[in-house]
Amino acid sequence: MSPLEVGGQVSIVVDGETVLANPGELLIDACERTGTYIPRFCHHTRMRPVGMCRMCIVDVDTGRGAALQPSCMLACTPGMVVETESDRTRKAQDGVLEFLLINHPLDCPVCDKGGECPLQDQTMAFGPGESRFVEEKRHFEKPIKVNDNVNLDRERCILCDRCTRFADEVAGDKLIHFMARGSQTQINTFPDLPFSSYFSGNTVQVCPVGALTALPYRFKARPWDLEEVESTSTLDSVGSRISVQSSRDRVLRFQGVDADAVNWGWLSDKERFVFEAYDHEDRLATPLLKGDALGNRTPDGSELVSAPWNEALDVAAEALRAAPADRIAVVGGARLTNEAQYAWAKLAKGVLGTDHVDSQLGDGLPADLLLALPRATIDEACTPGGTIVLLGPDPKEELGALYLRLRHAVVHDGATLIELTQCRTGLTEDATHSLRVQPGEAAEVVSAMFGGAPPAGSSGRSVGDVIAAGELLAAAIGPVTVLLGRSSLAEAAGPVVDAALALHDHLPDARFLSLLRRGNVHGAMDMGLAPGLLPGRATLADADRFADAWPGVPDATGRDTHATLEAASNGEVDVLVLLGADLLADVPDGDLARRALAGAGTVVAIDLFATETVASADVVLPAAGPTEVDGTFTNLEGRVSRVVRKVTSPGTSRPDWMIAVDLADRLGTDLGFTSPDDVWAELTAVSAVHADLSTEAIAADSTEGVVVTGGLALVRPEPTAIPARQPSALRLIATRSMYDTGVMVAHSPSLAGLAPGARAALEPTEMRRRGVADGEVVDLVGPKGTVQVPVVADAGVAAGTIHLLVNQPGVDVVAMLDAGAPVTDVKLVRR
C-alpha cells in the first residue's frame, strides 16, 4: 500500500496539516468533515456537484503545480496539497462575491432570509467590504408565486442551481428551471405550469439567499427571534427528523434535519407546513360533556358543553368502572408518543382488563404479522444495487420523505424496482417491472412470478412480464426488500397478507419494510395497542414479565377495530374510548362507523380537534399536540427517536399519558408515572426488546435514533377467499392522496386548498367499451351506497378496476364500502 493510502483512505494535506479522505470523496466534503470549512453556494451534499457558483475555489496542487480549482468538483487523490487561505484563494473568493453582488439587491433589512443568509455571512467573511459598481441593478417583477406556498424573488437569485437540481434530481418534478440568457438568466416555472410539487418547501430550505421564501413563515419572525429544538415529525410513520422553531410560544416553522438514516433533511410540504394545524384556533382547549351527562344542562342533552377537568374525568371514570371488561374497547393511539401509548396500554389491559384495543382503524395489517416478518431499515431498502418490491400504496402520496429516499436509490444508486400495484405510482416510470394487479389477486400474481398458474383474465400485464419479474427476483444478488402495505381501502388485509407470505416463501432472505402510514402506529404496536399483544412485542402468553408492574393482563385476545365497531353497532360496547381516532373520516366503512358511534353506550374521545366523530362523543378530553409534549416515536423501521416539547398546549389540554394516569387514579389504581421518563423506565423493565434502550442512549443519538430489533414468531392465517368479479362490475380501488379533507390538512391554511378533488379513473379501453366520455359524471353503486363522480381516462389503472381517491371534497367514498368484504365491486351506471 502506498504511504499516501491508509486503511483504504487517501492522505491529503490541507493548510499544512495531513488529513485522511475517503476514496472518491469530494475535496469540499473532506475538508468540512475534518474541520476546515470552504465557503460555497451551489454545493449540497445530497445533490450532484455542478460547480456553478465558483465560491469554493481553492489553491490545489495535485502534483502538476498549484492551480485554482473548485473544490466541489474535485475528488481527493493521494498526495493532494490544498491551501484554503492563500492570497490567491482569498482574492478569487473576493472576486466571486463581487460579481454575485453586481445585481443582487442590498435589501437585507427587509429580506426574509436576513440573519440566516450564507451570502450575507460569506460577504462579511470573504467579501470585498464595499462595491465598485454604481450602475443600475437589474429588476424583475417581485415577488411571483411559483405555487400556493412558495414565492420567488428573481432579483435575489444567484443562479446556484440548488432549487432546480432538487426538483429534477431529488423530487423528479422538473417544474422549475433556468430561463433566458446572459444578464437576464433567471429561474422560473414554465408558462401556465406552477411548481405543483409535494416537496417544493425543500427548495426554500436549500436556497442560500432570499430568492425563494415560504408563505407560511414569510415576515413572521427574524432568525434571532427564533428558539428551536430538534424533534420528530409525527405526521406519518417515516419519522422525519425536524427542527421545530418558535417565537413568543408559537411554532412558526418546521425545517428538515439531515438524518442520514431517515429523511436526509428532506420533508414533504405536508410535513413542513402542518405546524399550522397545531396552532389553529379550533384546537380543543377544555373538556366537553354532553348535556345529559351533566343533568341536562342543555334542553335536549345533545350538545357538548365545557366542563372542568375533574367533572369530565369523573364521568369517564364512572362509565369505565360500571362496564365489564369485555364491554370496554379502545380504538386509536397512533397520534400518541410511545410513552402515552404505554400508559394507555397499561390502563386498558392492565387496569380495565380489556384486550379490545387496536391502534389501526381498519385500514392496516395484522400487528402480529408485521412484527414477525423479517424487518428492513430504510437504509437496507435503499441499498445501492439492491432490489425493491412494492406491494402496497404509492409512497409519493402517503409517505413523502420515504418516496424521496426510494427514488434516489432507484434513479441514482442502481436499485431495481418491481411494482405489484393496482394503479400507477410516483415510482412507476423508474420501475424495471410495473405489474398491475386487481384487488385480491396479488398472491396469484406472486405465485405466477415463480412458476405458478397466472390469474384468470388480464389486468393490463403480459405473462412474459410476470415471468421476467420473477426471474429477476430469483437472480437478485443484493438484498431484496418488500415494501408492504394496503394498496387500497377497498381491499381487506387478507389478500395483502397472502401475497406477503407468498413472497416470504419464495424469497426467504427478503426483508420487509412496513408502509403503514398513520403516525406512530408502529410505536403503538410495540407498546401493546393491538389485540393479543403486550408492550415490547410480547404476547398475552408473556404475562409473567408484567406481574410486578401491572395489576393484571387480559385472559384472551380481543377484537380489532372492525370487530369492535361491529360489536358497538350491535349494542355490545358500553364504553368506547377513541384515542385521536376520527372514525367517520378514517375507517374504510362509513356506514359501520356511524352505526358504531350510535350504538356504543358512552363514547370518550381524547383528541386535538372537534371533528365530526368528536361531536358524537359523550366525554371529550383535549390532548396536547406533538409540539407540546416530550416523549419518543417509533417509525416504520422500528427506529426510536425523540419528540421534544417546544410550546405550551392551548387552554387546559393535557398530554395523553397524563390523562391515562388521571383516569387510573379515579379507578383506584396508581400507574406510577409522574413524567414520560418514568414511563420509559418501566418499559425498559418489562420489555425485552427495549431493555437496553435508556433515555440517555436515545438522547445520545438524537438525530439518527436507535433501531429496536426483535419480533414475534410467524403464525400463518388461513388464505383469503376472493369472490369472482361479475363481468358487468368493476373492482374498486380506493387510495389516499397527499392532500385531502383530513383534520390536519383541513386545519392547515397552507394545505387546505390543495386536495385534488374527486374523480374516478378508468382504463381507456374500459371507458370505450362502456361508452363513457372523459369527464362524464356517472353513478357508482357500491355495497352500501351510491356516489356521483366524474370519470377520467387513466392508462395506469388495472383493467377491470376503477380508481377513486378517498377523503376528497364532495364524494364520500367510504360510505359505499363494506369493510367486511375482501374486495369491493361496484356498478357503473350512466346517468
Side-chain angles (χ1 to χ4, degrees):
M1 180 179 292
S2 165
L4 299 178
E5 299 177 8
V6 182
Q9 294 183 306
V10 297
S11 175
I12 64 174
V13 177
V14 179
D15 295 334
E17 294 187 9
T18 300
V19 300
L20 295 178
N22 299 318
E25 187 174 18
L26 293 175
L27 176 57
I28 191 172
D29 293 331
C31 288
E32 183 172 14
R33 183 176 51 79
T34 55
T36 301
Y37 180 79
I38 298 175
R40 81 291 301 269
F41 293 115
C42 69
H43 180 67
H44 192 286
T45 55
R46 298 300 185 185
M47 295 183 282
R48 65 180 176 85
V50 288
M52 291 284 289
C53 71
R54 320 307 278 186
M55 187 65 206
C56 67
I57 283 179
V58 292
D59 232 338
V60 182
D61 186 352
T62 57
R64 295 180 295 178
L68 290 172
Q69 300 188 56
S71 57
C72 72
M73 299 292 290
L74 195 61
C76 295
T77 57
M80 178 183 285
V81 178
V82 183
E83 293 289 342
T84 69
E85 298 181 349
S86 67
D87 290 342
R88 287 208 307 171
T89 298
R90 289 288 191 181
K91 181 63 175 175
Q93 292 170 346
D94 183 297
V96 169
L97 283 166
E98 188 172 26
F99 276 113
L100 287 177
L101 293 173
I102 290 175
N103 277 306
H104 191 86
L106 302 180
D107 61 350
C108 301
V110 299
C111 177
D112 220 34
K113 194 75 170 182
E116 58 181 3
C117 174
L119 180 59
Q120 224 178 20
D121 296 339
Q122 293 180 35
T123 298
M124 293 294 292
F126 305 99
E130 60 181 337
S131 175
R132 293 180 290 171
F133 287 86
V134 296
E135 291 79 11
E136 182 75 11
K137 296 177 181 287
R138 67 178 180 181
H139 298 286
F140 293 109
E141 176 189 353
K142 57 185 290 185
I144 58 175
K145 294 184 68 171
V146 293
N147 66 23
D148 288 337
N149 290 316
V150 178
N151 272 6
L152 169 62
D153 187 330
R154 292 168 290 174
E155 292 179 356
R156 294 179 184 149
C157 178
I158 60 172
L159 306 180
C160 70
D161 202 23
R162 278 192 178 189
C163 60
T164 56
R165 276 181 292 154
F166 173 84
D168 182 5
E169 298 172 21
V170 181
D173 299 324
K174 303 177 183 179
L175 299 171
I176 187 168
H177 213 284
F178 289 121
M179 296 181 179
R181 286 183 167 187
S183 64
Q184 294 300 305
T185 303
Q186 57 184 280
I187 60 164
N188 210 332
T189 57
F190 298 102
D192 301 319
L193 189 61
F195 189 21
S196 53
S197 170
Y198 290 161
F199 311 100
S200 63
N202 293 286
T203 63
V204 176
Q205 184 169 339
V206 301
C207 180
V209 292
L212 290 166
T213 52
L215 268 66
Y217 173 73
R218 188 175 170 87
F219 302 138
K220 294 292 178 60
R222 285 302 191 181
W224 51 83
D225 293 327
L226 298 176
E227 299 174 342
E228 69 175 341
V229 295
E230 188 176 304
S231 188
T232 302
S233 170
T234 63
L235 182 68
D236 62 33
S237 61
V238 178
S240 298
R241 298 297 291 159
I242 59 173
S243 169
V244 181
Q245 301 179 350
S246 70
S247 178
R248 303 175 188 86
D249 204 32
R250 290 187 62 189
V251 174
L252 297 181
R253 184 167 66 172
F254 283 175
Q255 295 279 68
V257 171
D258 195 343
D260 192 64
V262 188
N263 59 309
W264 285 10
W266 311 132
L267 298 175
S268 69
D269 287 358
K270 190 174 179 180
E271 291 173 287
R272 186 178 298 276
F273 300 132
V274 75
F275 73 87
E276 295 177 318
Y278 304 146
D279 188 45
H280 200 280
E281 60 183 8
D282 287 348
R283 281 282 302 276
L284 290 170
T286 184
L288 305 173
L289 288 176
K290 274 283 175 67
D292 56 0
L294 294 176
N296 289 316
R297 284 189 176 182
T298 56
D300 60 358
S302 63
E303 293 183 16
L304 286 167
V305 294
S306 296
W309 267 99
N310 284 342
E311 202 163 5
L313 289 170
D314 286 343
V315 172
E318 183 56 37
L320 291 168
R321 183 184 296 109
D326 194 50
R327 295 180 69 87
I328 299 173
V330 179
V331 174
R335 173 182 57 75
L336 282 56
T337 62
N338 290 329
E339 290 78 3
Q341 291 165 347
Y342 179 89
W344 272 97
K346 185 175 181 179
L347 172 61
K349 300 192 175 190
V351 178
L352 298 173
T354 180
D355 195 54
H356 305 318
V357 178
D358 193 4
S359 58
Q360 301 186 65
L361 302 185
D363 56 355
L365 294 171
D368 53 357
L369 173 82
L370 292 172
L371 295 178
L373 290 170
R375 204 165 189 170
T377 65
I378 295 175
D379 275 347
E380 290 168 346
C382 298
T383 300
T387 303
I388 303 167
V389 180
L390 176 56
L391 179 64
D394 184 352
K396 186 174 184 178
E397 297 289 349
E398 300 200 10
L399 300 165
L402 177 63
Y403 162 77
L404 296 181
R405 289 291 312 273
L406 294 170
R407 184 180 184 279
H408 186 278
V410 175
V411 174
H412 301 292
D413 289 340
T416 299
L417 173 65
I418 297 173
E419 287 189 330
L420 298 174
T421 58
Q422 298 171 7
C423 52
R424 181 182 177 84
T425 76
L427 292 168
T428 295
E429 67 180 25
D430 300 311
T432 302
H433 294 285
S434 187
L435 306 180
R436 293 290 163 266
V437 296
Q438 288 190 5
E441 71 170 10
E444 294 180 81
V445 174
V446 171
S447 176
M449 289 168 62
F450 296 96
S458 171
S459 292
R461 59 174 185 272
S462 69
V463 174
D465 288 339
V466 174
I467 295 173
E471 291 174 344
L472 191 154
L473 276 174
I477 298 175
V480 177
T481 304
V482 180
L483 308 178
L484 180 62
R486 291 270 289 276
S487 295
S488 167
L489 298 184
E491 178 185 42
V496 183
V497 172
D498 295 343
L501 292 175
L503 283 169
H504 180 57
D505 291 339
H506 290 291
L507 302 167
D509 294 329
R511 305 180 75 84
F512 292 77
L513 183 63
S514 166
L515 294 188
L516 297 188
R517 61 179 281 275
R518 198 180 302 284
N520 195 19
V521 64
H522 299 90
M525 291 186 285
D526 282 0
M527 298 302 123
L529 292 184
L533 295 185
L534 294 172
R537 303 177 187 174
T539 65
L540 297 182
D542 301 311
D544 289 347
R545 294 189 62 91
F546 299 82
D548 295 333
W550 286 26
V553 297
D555 296 326
T557 299
R559 297 183 289 254
D560 63 8
T561 293
H562 179 75
T564 288
L565 297 183
E566 289 280 10
S569 67
N570 294 327
E572 299 170 9
V573 175
D574 290 343
V575 182
L576 176 62
V577 180
L578 304 178
L579 296 179
D582 189 358
L583 301 184
L584 297 176
D586 292 331
V587 169
D589 190 328
D591 173 67
L592 177 60
R594 288 183 177 84
R595 289 190 288 111
L597 288 171
T602 299
V603 178
V604 180
I606 295 94
D607 217 322
L608 303 180
F609 293 95
T611 64
E612 186 181 350
T613 300
V614 167
S616 301
D618 300 287
V619 183
V620 180
L621 303 176
T627 58
E628 302 149 8
V629 296
D630 289 311
T632 56
F633 178 97
T634 303
N635 80 345
L636 46 74
E637 55 185 343
R639 186 178 302 275
V640 178
S641 57
R642 298 175 69 204
V643 175
V644 181
R645 178 179 180 267
K646 186 66 198 73
V647 295
T648 306
S649 59
T652 61
S653 56
R654 299 180 181 181
D656 296 277
W657 68 266
M658 190 179 294
I659 298 173
V661 169
D662 290 339
L663 281 172
D665 183 63
R666 280 163 172 76
L667 293 170
T669 301
D670 182 4
L671 293 186
F673 309 138
T674 60
S675 70
D677 287 345
D678 291 342
V679 183
W680 194 262
E682 182 171 302
L683 173 67
T684 58
V686 300
S687 167
V689 300
H690 296 90
D692 298 325
L693 189 55
S694 66
T695 54
E696 292 77 15
I698 298 171
D701 207 350
S702 60
T703 298
E704 298 299 323
V706 182
V707 175
V708 175
T709 58
L712 301 174
L714 183 61
V715 178
R716 292 176 177 270
E718 290 294 321
T720 303
I722 307 298
R725 177 173 63 87
Q726 296 299 316
S728 62
L730 291 166
R731 195 139 283 179
L732 180 62
I733 303 168
T735 67
R736 293 187 178 91
S737 172
M738 175 73 76
Y739 304 122
D740 53 22
T741 58
V743 63
M744 288 302 175
V745 172
H747 287 90
S748 301
S750 299
L751 306 175
L754 301 180
R759 86 288 184 277
L762 196 60
E763 197 269 333
T765 303
E766 189 77 39
M767 284 186 68
R768 290 192 294 270
R769 188 174 72 84
R770 294 173 180 265
V772 178
D774 196 52
E776 180 180 347
V777 177
V778 301
D779 289 341
L780 292 181
V781 183
K784 292 190 173 183
T786 301
V787 299
Q788 289 77 43
V789 64
V791 178
V792 297
D794 186 351
V797 178
T801 67
I802 190 165
H803 176 213
L804 286 171
L805 297 177
V806 299
N807 272 7
Q808 295 299 313
V811 176
D812 188 7
V813 175
V814 298
M816 66 176 184
L817 301 183
D818 179 2
V823 293
T824 298
D825 288 343
V826 298
K827 292 183 179 180
L828 185 152
V829 180
R830 299 185 66 193
R831 308 187 79 187

